[in-house]
């Protein structure tokens, strides 16, 4: 069995796992991109100090990592999760599915004072709140609400920069728009401050990935954004 056959079976028989895999790879891409930026700073610093041996070492690292970036890009493209159409048009988000399955909500509550980052797995989790740069805590009930309120904050900071996301390939899917001034091409559009629509038909990890891209475009670090969980349903979803 070759890779194409494996991917075909994943997409047709295990679409939820194909989506999880694609979203995890997107997160790896973001981390690798951050790593490349850090290497670039080190390389430039080495050049300034005329430490050419170190400069060559950093350049070699960058070439090595870039090769893996390209392989991941190709793998994600071959996986073509968007063709799954999120399993089907009636596919529930993690939160909607869990809401129907939870026997006792209180049993799965967690300490909402514990800080989490955007580099964590949000599958089977429910959010309680988030904050940026130690600003006021903003409470939310769903990942979709967290995306909406974060988008509102960023739009308030710089609306032109946010509206430019519509034309940035990395901010949109290959077939569907995630951010647009028009509703067309968005499965479940949410209007933000009467200016732009964002896609909300995404899992917690899908929202995590687009938040990372938005924050980076505004010059925020991933660690500037803190997330607080309300509940963790992982135990209920173990096979």
């Amino acid at each position: 069995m070759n890779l194409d056959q494996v991917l075909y079976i994943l997409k047709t028989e295990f679409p939820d796992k194909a989506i999880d895999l694609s979203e995890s790879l997107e997160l790896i891409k973001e981390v690798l991109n951050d790593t490349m930026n850090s290497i670039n700073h080190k390389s430039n610093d080495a050049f300034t100090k005329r430490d050419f041996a170190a400069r060559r070492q950093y350049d070699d690292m960058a070439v090595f990592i870039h090769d893996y970036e390209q392989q991941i890009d190709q793998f994600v493209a071959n996986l073509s999760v968007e063709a799954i159409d999120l399993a089907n048009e009636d596919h529930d988000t993690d939160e909607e599915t869990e809401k129907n399955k939870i026997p006792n909500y209180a049993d799965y509550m967690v300490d909402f004072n514990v800080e989490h980052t955007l580099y964590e797995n949000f599958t089977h989790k429910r959010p309680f709140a988030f904050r940026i740069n130690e600003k006021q805590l903003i409470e939310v009930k769903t990942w979709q609400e967290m995306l909406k309120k974060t988008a509102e904050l960023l739009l308030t900071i710089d609306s032109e920069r946010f509206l430019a996301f519509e034309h940035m390939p990395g901010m949109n899917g290959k077939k569907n728009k995630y951010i647009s001034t028009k509703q067309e091409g968005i499965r479940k559009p949410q209007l933000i401050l009467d200016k732009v629509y964002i896609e909300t038909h995404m899992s917690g990890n899908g929202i995590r990935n687009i938040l990372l891209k938005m924050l980076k475009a505004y010059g925020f670090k991933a660690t500037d954004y803190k997330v607080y969980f309300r509940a963790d349903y992982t135990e209920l979803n173990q096979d």
Side-chain angles (χ1 to χ4, degrees):
M1 181 175 291
N2 59 35
L3 180 59
D4 288 340
Q5 292 172 316
V6 171
L7 293 179
Y8 177 78
I9 294 173
L10 270 174
K11 290 185 288 185
T12 56
E13 298 188 27
F14 307 97
D16 57 331
K17 298 304 179 185
I19 291 170
D20 287 344
L21 180 58
S22 179
E23 290 173 343
S24 297
L25 289 172
E26 289 289 348
L27 178 58
I28 291 175
K29 285 171 57 180
E30 288 300 313
V31 176
L32 286 177
N33 185 61
D34 286 344
T35 303
M36 289 287 276
N37 289 335
S38 296
I39 292 173
N40 181 53
H41 291 312
K42 285 281 191 179
S43 180
N44 290 338
D45 185 54
F47 181 84
T48 300
K49 296 176 180 178
R50 299 300 188 263
D51 187 349
F52 299 115
R55 173 70 179 253
R56 284 192 292 272
Q57 181 182 45
Y58 294 134
D59 288 348
D60 288 344
M61 285 181 62
V63 171
F64 185 83
I65 293 174
H66 179 60
D67 181 59
Y68 276 97
E69 284 183 315
Q70 291 181 314
Q71 291 183 48
I72 292 173
D73 281 339
Q74 187 60 51
F75 193 88
V76 171
N78 290 339
L79 193 57
S80 188
V81 170
E82 285 190 339
I84 302 171
D85 200 24
L86 296 180
N88 56 60
E89 281 298 322
D90 297 323
H91 175 80
D92 289 337
T93 61
D94 292 338
E95 292 157 1
E96 292 167 341
T97 301
E98 286 153 2
K99 188 186 299 182
N100 295 329
K101 294 164 63 176
I102 302 303
N104 188 343
Y105 177 83
D107 290 344
Y108 300 91
M109 293 183 67
V110 297
D111 184 355
F112 54 73
N113 292 303
V114 177
E115 291 185 346
H116 299 272
T117 74
L118 289 173
Y119 287 133
E120 297 184 38
N121 184 3
F122 289 174
T123 301
H124 307 315
K125 312 291 196 310
R126 290 283 300 276
F128 169 74
F130 73 94
R131 75 163 84 235
I132 302 178
N133 270 347
E134 304 305 321
K135 299 292 185 180
Q136 181 181 355
L137 200 71
I138 299 175
E139 295 189 16
V140 296
K141 294 182 179 179
T142 66
W143 296 118
Q144 288 74 21
E145 186 181 6
M146 192 170 84
L147 174 61
K148 175 181 180 291
K149 290 190 175 182
T150 303
E152 289 175 350
L153 283 175
L154 297 178
L155 257 173
T156 301
I157 293 172
D158 186 340
S159 61
E160 289 187 7
R161 182 175 302 188
F162 197 97
L163 293 176
F165 289 162
E166 179 176 5
H167 307 292
M168 294 174 60
M171 290 292 184
N172 292 285
K174 295 182 182 300
K175 295 184 178 180
N176 298 306
K177 287 275 191 179
Y178 298 155
I179 302 171
S180 177
T181 52
K182 300 178 181 178
Q183 296 188 58
E184 291 76 17
I186 299 181
R187 291 186 182 91
K188 191 175 180 182
Q190 172 69 58
L191 183 59
I192 307 297
L193 300 182
D194 294 323
K195 292 184 177 180
V196 63
Y197 293 93
I198 58 173
E199 175 65 84
T200 58
H201 190 66
M202 291 187 283
S203 68
N205 284 343
I207 288 172
R208 173 203 64 194
N209 292 344
I210 198 166
L211 284 175
L212 277 167
K213 295 177 182 178
M214 288 179 177
L215 292 167
K216 186 182 299 180
Y218 272 78
F220 289 110
K221 298 177 182 177
T223 52
D224 292 333
Y225 194 101
K226 304 299 183 182
V227 182
Y228 303 83
F229 295 155
R230 180 188 306 274
D232 184 348
Y233 305 144
T234 303
E235 183 182 335
L236 287 175
N237 291 274
Q238 292 178 343
D239 294 329

PDB file of all heavy atoms in Angstrom, residues 29-51:
ATOM      1  N   LYS A  29       3.617  23.439  10.880  1.00  0.00           N
ATOM      2  CA  LYS A  29       4.102  24.435   9.919  1.00  0.00           C
ATOM      3  C   LYS A  29       4.309  25.795  10.584  1.00  0.00           C
ATOM      4  O   LYS A  29       5.294  26.499  10.306  1.00  0.00           O
ATOM      5  CB  LYS A  29       3.111  24.566   8.754  1.00  0.00           C
ATOM      6  CG  LYS A  29       3.152  23.419   7.759  1.00  0.00           C
ATOM      7  CD  LYS A  29       2.002  23.501   6.765  1.00  0.00           C
ATOM      8  CE  LYS A  29       1.969  24.803   6.005  1.00  0.00           C
ATOM      9  NZ  LYS A  29       0.852  24.870   5.041  1.00  0.00           N
ATOM     10  N   GLU A  30       3.380  26.173  11.455  1.00  0.00           N
ATOM     11  CA  GLU A  30       3.505  27.455  12.155  1.00  0.00           C
ATOM     12  C   GLU A  30       4.721  27.467  13.076  1.00  0.00           C
ATOM     13  O   GLU A  30       5.451  28.453  13.155  1.00  0.00           O
ATOM     14  CB  GLU A  30       2.239  27.738  12.967  1.00  0.00           C
ATOM     15  CG  GLU A  30       1.026  28.097  12.137  1.00  0.00           C
ATOM     16  CD  GLU A  30       1.251  29.336  11.293  1.00  0.00           C
ATOM     17  OE1 GLU A  30       1.756  30.346  11.819  1.00  0.00           O
ATOM     18  OE2 GLU A  30       0.944  29.281  10.097  1.00  0.00           O
ATOM     19  N   VAL A  31       4.949  26.356  13.773  1.00  0.00           N
ATOM     20  CA  VAL A  31       6.103  26.276  14.669  1.00  0.00           C
ATOM     21  C   VAL A  31       7.400  26.308  13.873  1.00  0.00           C
ATOM     22  O   VAL A  31       8.368  26.973  14.258  1.00  0.00           O
ATOM     23  CB  VAL A  31       6.033  24.998  15.534  1.00  0.00           C
ATOM     24  CG1 VAL A  31       7.284  24.878  16.402  1.00  0.00           C
ATOM     25  CG2 VAL A  31       4.793  25.016  16.422  1.00  0.00           C
ATOM     26  N   LEU A  32       7.436  25.599  12.749  1.00  0.00           N
ATOM     27  CA  LEU A  32       8.629  25.610  11.900  1.00  0.00           C
ATOM     28  C   LEU A  32       8.891  27.011  11.347  1.00  0.00           C
ATOM     29  O   LEU A  32      10.047  27.442  11.250  1.00  0.00           O
ATOM     30  CB  LEU A  32       8.471  24.610  10.744  1.00  0.00           C
ATOM     31  CG  LEU A  32       8.606  23.132  11.101  1.00  0.00           C
ATOM     32  CD1 LEU A  32       8.340  22.257   9.866  1.00  0.00           C
ATOM     33  CD2 LEU A  32      10.000  22.831  11.658  1.00  0.00           C
ATOM     34  N   ASN A  33       7.835  27.710  10.993  1.00  0.00           N
ATOM     35  CA  ASN A  33       7.985  29.070  10.487  1.00  0.00           C
ATOM     36  C   ASN A  33       8.569  29.993  11.564  1.00  0.00           C
ATOM     37  O   ASN A  33       9.445  30.823  11.284  1.00  0.00           O
ATOM     38  CB  ASN A  33       6.639  29.607  10.017  1.00  0.00           C
ATOM     39  CG  ASN A  33       6.760  30.970   9.358  1.00  0.00           C
ATOM     40  OD1 ASN A  33       7.433  31.132   8.339  1.00  0.00           O
ATOM     41  ND2 ASN A  33       6.121  31.964   9.930  1.00  0.00           N
ATOM     42  N   ASP A  34       8.091  29.845  12.793  1.00  0.00           N
ATOM     43  CA  ASP A  34       8.648  30.619  13.907  1.00  0.00           C
ATOM     44  C   ASP A  34      10.118  30.275  14.121  1.00  0.00           C
ATOM     45  O   ASP A  34      10.943  31.153  14.413  1.00  0.00           O
ATOM     46  CB  ASP A  34       7.870  30.338  15.198  1.00  0.00           C
ATOM     47  CG  ASP A  34       6.505  30.997  15.205  1.00  0.00           C
ATOM     48  OD1 ASP A  34       6.278  31.897  14.368  1.00  0.00           O
ATOM     49  OD2 ASP A  34       5.671  30.616  16.033  1.00  0.00           O
ATOM     50  N   THR A  35      10.441  29.000  13.975  1.00  0.00           N
ATOM     51  CA  THR A  35      11.827  28.557  14.128  1.00  0.00           C
ATOM     52  C   THR A  35      12.712  29.178  13.052  1.00  0.00           C
ATOM     53  O   THR A  35      13.833  29.628  13.334  1.00  0.00           O
ATOM     54  CB  THR A  35      11.915  27.021  14.051  1.00  0.00           C
ATOM     55  OG1 THR A  35      11.071  26.441  15.044  1.00  0.00           O
ATOM     56  CG2 THR A  35      13.346  26.547  14.270  1.00  0.00           C
ATOM     57  N   MET A  36      12.205  29.223  11.834  1.00  0.00           N
ATOM     58  CA  MET A  36      12.966  29.825  10.723  1.00  0.00           C
ATOM     59  C   MET A  36      13.208  31.311  10.993  1.00  0.00           C
ATOM     60  O   MET A  36      14.302  31.830  10.704  1.00  0.00           O
ATOM     61  CB  MET A  36      12.205  29.643   9.415  1.00  0.00           C
ATOM     62  CG  MET A  36      12.186  28.210   8.914  1.00  0.00           C
ATOM     63  SD  MET A  36      13.784  27.678   8.260  1.00  0.00           S
ATOM     64  CE  MET A  36      13.678  28.303   6.580  1.00  0.00           C
ATOM     65  N   ASN A  37      12.245  31.996  11.553  1.00  0.00           N
ATOM     66  CA  ASN A  37      12.424  33.411  11.884  1.00  0.00           C
ATOM     67  C   ASN A  37      13.501  33.594  12.942  1.00  0.00           C
ATOM     68  O   ASN A  37      14.323  34.528  12.868  1.00  0.00           O
ATOM     69  CB  ASN A  37      11.105  34.011  12.384  1.00  0.00           C
ATOM     70  CG  ASN A  37      10.081  34.161  11.275  1.00  0.00           C
ATOM     71  OD1 ASN A  37      10.437  34.262  10.101  1.00  0.00           O
ATOM     72  ND2 ASN A  37       8.817  34.173  11.637  1.00  0.00           N
ATOM     73  N   SER A  38      13.517  32.702  13.929  1.00  0.00           N
ATOM     74  CA  SER A  38      14.536  32.776  14.975  1.00  0.00           C
ATOM     75  C   SER A  38      15.925  32.501  14.407  1.00  0.00           C
ATOM     76  O   SER A  38      16.910  33.164  14.771  1.00  0.00           O
ATOM     77  CB  SER A  38      14.227  31.767  16.088  1.00  0.00           C
ATOM     78  OG  SER A  38      13.008  32.080  16.734  1.00  0.00           O
ATOM     79  N   ILE A  39      16.006  31.531  13.504  1.00  0.00           N
ATOM     80  CA  ILE A  39      17.287  31.225  12.859  1.00  0.00           C
ATOM     81  C   ILE A  39      17.762  32.413  12.038  1.00  0.00           C
ATOM     82  O   ILE A  39      18.961  32.743  12.020  1.00  0.00           O
ATOM     83  CB  ILE A  39      17.151  29.960  11.973  1.00  0.00           C
ATOM     84  CG1 ILE A  39      16.938  28.728  12.841  1.00  0.00           C
ATOM     85  CG2 ILE A  39      18.390  29.785  11.089  1.00  0.00           C
ATOM     86  CD1 ILE A  39      16.627  27.472  12.054  1.00  0.00           C
ATOM     87  N   ASN A  40      16.832  33.078  11.363  1.00  0.00           N
ATOM     88  CA  ASN A  40      17.180  34.247  10.556  1.00  0.00           C
ATOM     89  C   ASN A  40      17.803  35.346  11.419  1.00  0.00           C
ATOM     90  O   ASN A  40      18.799  35.965  11.028  1.00  0.00           O
ATOM     91  CB  ASN A  40      15.942  34.772   9.846  1.00  0.00           C
ATOM     92  CG  ASN A  40      16.236  35.976   8.977  1.00  0.00           C
ATOM     93  OD1 ASN A  40      17.123  35.954   8.132  1.00  0.00           O
ATOM     94  ND2 ASN A  40      15.501  37.056   9.190  1.00  0.00           N
ATOM     95  N   HIS A  41      17.228  35.581  12.589  1.00  0.00           N
ATOM     96  CA  HIS A  41      17.774  36.594  13.500  1.00  0.00           C
ATOM     97  C   HIS A  41      19.184  36.216  13.950  1.00  0.00           C
ATOM     98  O   HIS A  41      20.082  37.073  13.983  1.00  0.00           O
ATOM     99  CB  HIS A  41      16.865  36.768  14.719  1.00  0.00           C
ATOM    100  CG  HIS A  41      15.544  37.401  14.401  1.00  0.00           C
ATOM    101  ND1 HIS A  41      15.420  38.540  13.633  1.00  0.00           N
ATOM    102  CD2 HIS A  41      14.273  37.053  14.759  1.00  0.00           C
ATOM    103  CE1 HIS A  41      14.146  38.879  13.525  1.00  0.00           C
ATOM    104  NE2 HIS A  41      13.430  37.986  14.196  1.00  0.00           N
ATOM    105  N   LYS A  42      19.349  34.932  14.292  1.00  0.00           N
ATOM    106  CA  LYS A  42      20.677  34.472  14.719  1.00  0.00           C
ATOM    107  C   LYS A  42      21.690  34.587  13.584  1.00  0.00           C
ATOM    108  O   LYS A  42      22.848  34.974  13.792  1.00  0.00           O
ATOM    109  CB  LYS A  42      20.578  33.019  15.179  1.00  0.00           C
ATOM    110  CG  LYS A  42      19.937  32.815  16.540  1.00  0.00           C
ATOM    111  CD  LYS A  42      20.923  33.124  17.656  1.00  0.00           C
ATOM    112  CE  LYS A  42      20.404  32.690  18.995  1.00  0.00           C
ATOM    113  NZ  LYS A  42      21.371  32.973  20.094  1.00  0.00           N
ATOM    114  N   SER A  43      21.259  34.248  12.380  1.00  0.00           N
ATOM    115  CA  SER A  43      22.152  34.311  11.219  1.00  0.00           C
ATOM    116  C   SER A  43      22.588  35.744  10.941  1.00  0.00           C
ATOM    117  O   SER A  43      23.765  36.015  10.673  1.00  0.00           O
ATOM    118  CB  SER A  43      21.450  33.718   9.996  1.00  0.00           C
ATOM    119  OG  SER A  43      22.276  33.768   8.851  1.00  0.00           O
ATOM    120  N   ASN A  44      21.634  36.679  11.007  1.00  0.00           N
ATOM    121  CA  ASN A  44      21.963  38.089  10.776  1.00  0.00           C
ATOM    122  C   ASN A  44      22.908  38.618  11.857  1.00  0.00           C
ATOM    123  O   ASN A  44      23.822  39.407  11.577  1.00  0.00           O
ATOM    124  CB  ASN A  44      20.687  38.927  10.746  1.00  0.00           C
ATOM    125  CG  ASN A  44      19.852  38.664   9.512  1.00  0.00           C
ATOM    126  OD1 ASN A  44      20.365  38.190   8.491  1.00  0.00           O
ATOM    127  ND2 ASN A  44      18.570  38.954   9.582  1.00  0.00           N
ATOM    128  N   ASP A  45      22.678  38.174  13.090  1.00  0.00           N
ATOM    129  CA  ASP A  45      23.542  38.602  14.186  1.00  0.00           C
ATOM    130  C   ASP A  45      24.966  38.076  13.988  1.00  0.00           C
ATOM    131  O   ASP A  45      25.952  38.791  14.238  1.00  0.00           O
ATOM    132  CB  ASP A  45      22.974  38.098  15.509  1.00  0.00           C
ATOM    133  CG  ASP A  45      23.752  38.607  16.711  1.00  0.00           C
ATOM    134  OD1 ASP A  45      23.914  39.841  16.825  1.00  0.00           O
ATOM    135  OD2 ASP A  45      24.198  37.786  17.525  1.00  0.00           O
ATOM    136  N   ALA A  46      25.068  36.816  13.528  1.00  0.00           N
ATOM    137  CA  ALA A  46      26.380  36.226  13.276  1.00  0.00           C
ATOM    138  C   ALA A  46      27.106  36.982  12.167  1.00  0.00           C
ATOM    139  O   ALA A  46      28.323  37.204  12.228  1.00  0.00           O
ATOM    140  CB  ALA A  46      26.232  34.752  12.901  1.00  0.00           C
ATOM    141  N   PHE A  47      26.352  37.404  11.139  1.00  0.00           N
ATOM    142  CA  PHE A  47      26.961  38.172  10.044  1.00  0.00           C
ATOM    143  C   PHE A  47      27.488  39.511  10.563  1.00  0.00           C
ATOM    144  O   PHE A  47      28.596  39.944  10.200  1.00  0.00           O
ATOM    145  CB  PHE A  47      25.940  38.398   8.937  1.00  0.00           C
ATOM    146  CG  PHE A  47      26.486  39.159   7.753  1.00  0.00           C
ATOM    147  CD1 PHE A  47      27.176  38.509   6.746  1.00  0.00           C
ATOM    148  CD2 PHE A  47      26.324  40.538   7.660  1.00  0.00           C
ATOM    149  CE1 PHE A  47      27.693  39.208   5.662  1.00  0.00           C
ATOM    150  CE2 PHE A  47      26.836  41.249   6.575  1.00  0.00           C
ATOM    151  CZ  PHE A  47      27.517  40.577   5.576  1.00  0.00           C
ATOM    152  N   THR A  48      26.676  40.166  11.394  1.00  0.00           N
ATOM    153  CA  THR A  48      27.099  41.456  11.964  1.00  0.00           C
ATOM    154  C   THR A  48      28.400  41.307  12.758  1.00  0.00           C
ATOM    155  O   THR A  48      29.274  42.185  12.720  1.00  0.00           O
ATOM    156  CB  THR A  48      25.990  42.018  12.881  1.00  0.00           C
ATOM    157  OG1 THR A  48      24.797  42.197  12.108  1.00  0.00           O
ATOM    158  CG2 THR A  48      26.405  43.349  13.492  1.00  0.00           C
ATOM    159  N   LYS A  49      28.520  40.169  13.452  1.00  0.00           N
ATOM    160  CA  LYS A  49      29.720  39.927  14.258  1.00  0.00           C
ATOM    161  C   LYS A  49      30.843  39.298  13.447  1.00  0.00           C
ATOM    162  O   LYS A  49      31.906  38.979  13.989  1.00  0.00           O
ATOM    163  CB  LYS A  49      29.358  39.007  15.433  1.00  0.00           C
ATOM    164  CG  LYS A  49      28.373  39.616  16.412  1.00  0.00           C
ATOM    165  CD  LYS A  49      27.995  38.623  17.492  1.00  0.00           C
ATOM    166  CE  LYS A  49      27.007  39.239  18.483  1.00  0.00           C
ATOM    167  NZ  LYS A  49      26.581  38.261  19.519  1.00  0.00           N
ATOM    168  N   ARG A  50      30.590  39.099  12.152  1.00  0.00           N
ATOM    169  CA  ARG A  50      31.558  38.481  11.240  1.00  0.00           C
ATOM    170  C   ARG A  50      31.922  37.061  11.687  1.00  0.00           C
ATOM    171  O   ARG A  50      33.039  36.588  11.442  1.00  0.00           O
ATOM    172  CB  ARG A  50      32.821  39.331  11.130  1.00  0.00           C
ATOM    173  CG  ARG A  50      32.581  40.730  10.573  1.00  0.00           C
ATOM    174  CD  ARG A  50      31.979  40.669   9.164  1.00  0.00           C
ATOM    175  NE  ARG A  50      31.916  41.978   8.535  1.00  0.00           N
ATOM    176  CZ  ARG A  50      30.836  42.753   8.524  1.00  0.00           C
ATOM    177  NH1 ARG A  50      29.721  42.352   9.117  1.00  0.00           N
ATOM    178  NH2 ARG A  50      30.840  43.921   7.917  1.00  0.00           N
ATOM    179  N   ASP A  51      30.957  36.405  12.317  1.00  0.00           N
ATOM    180  CA  ASP A  51      31.144  35.008  12.707  1.00  0.00           C
ATOM    181  C   ASP A  51      30.581  34.136  11.589  1.00  0.00           C
ATOM    182  O   ASP A  51      29.474  33.621  11.666  1.00  0.00           O
ATOM    183  CB  ASP A  51      30.413  34.738  14.025  1.00  0.00           C
ATOM    184  CG  ASP A  51      30.706  33.354  14.584  1.00  0.00           C
ATOM    185  OD1 ASP A  51      31.302  32.543  13.862  1.00  0.00           O
ATOM    186  OD2 ASP A  51      30.320  33.097  15.748  1.00  0.00           O
TER     187      ASP A  51
END
